[in-house]
């Protein structure tokens, strides 16, 4: 098997190249606040660690994404604005 090409990035820098975040919810939210492409992202994808050992841990991971990460600043306001725009278009 051949070695992967040298990128010059360390293990923490490499995921950033693909706008990928990991860590505690507050670390992810802080990183999202600094993310320059988030305002133009149309379909953010989230997932939890697939190595989570049991059902309860998986449910807790999903809860953290839903309650602590997804409502990161700006996201709720943008979602409300989109909902208002859809309502005004459908009312016509």
């Amino acid at each position: 098997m051949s070695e992967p090409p040298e990128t010059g990035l360390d293990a923490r820098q490499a995921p950033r190249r693909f706008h990928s975040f990991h860590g505690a919810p507050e670390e992810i939210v802080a990183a999202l606040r600094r993310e320059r492409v988030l305002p133009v992202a149309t379909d953010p994808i989230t997932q939890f660690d697939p190595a989570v050992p049991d059902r309860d841990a998986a449910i807790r991971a999903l809860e953290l994404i839903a309650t602590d990460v997804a409502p990161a600043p700006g996201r709720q306001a943008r979602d409300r604005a989109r909902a208002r725009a859809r309502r005004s278009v459908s009312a016509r």
Side-chain angles (χ1 to χ4, degrees), residues 35-90:
E35 179 57 53
R36 292 173 35 192
V37 300
L38 186 63
V40 296
T42 58
D43 299 303
I45 298 171
T46 62
Q47 73 179 52
F48 59 91
D49 185 350
V52 171
D54 62 33
R55 180 178 167 273
D56 291 339
I59 290 170
R60 180 67 184 136
L62 290 171
E63 287 173 344
L64 287 172
I65 291 169
T67 60
D68 294 5
V69 177
R75 190 80 200 167
Q76 289 178 335
R78 189 167 49 251
D79 290 346
R80 284 192 302 268
R82 286 180 181 159
R84 278 195 305 273
R86 281 192 297 269
R87 282 193 304 270
S88 70
V89 168
S90 65

Side-chain angles (χ1 to χ4, degrees), residues 12-43:
R12 287 194 60 87
Q13 294 169 324
R16 291 290 303 121
R17 177 170 281 200
F18 300 102
H19 308 280
S20 177
F21 306 97
H22 68 282
E26 58 274 3
E27 294 172 314
I28 295 171
V29 169
L32 287 171
R33 287 180 181 148
R34 293 186 304 269
E35 179 57 53
R36 292 173 35 192
V37 300
L38 186 63
V40 296
T42 58
D43 299 303

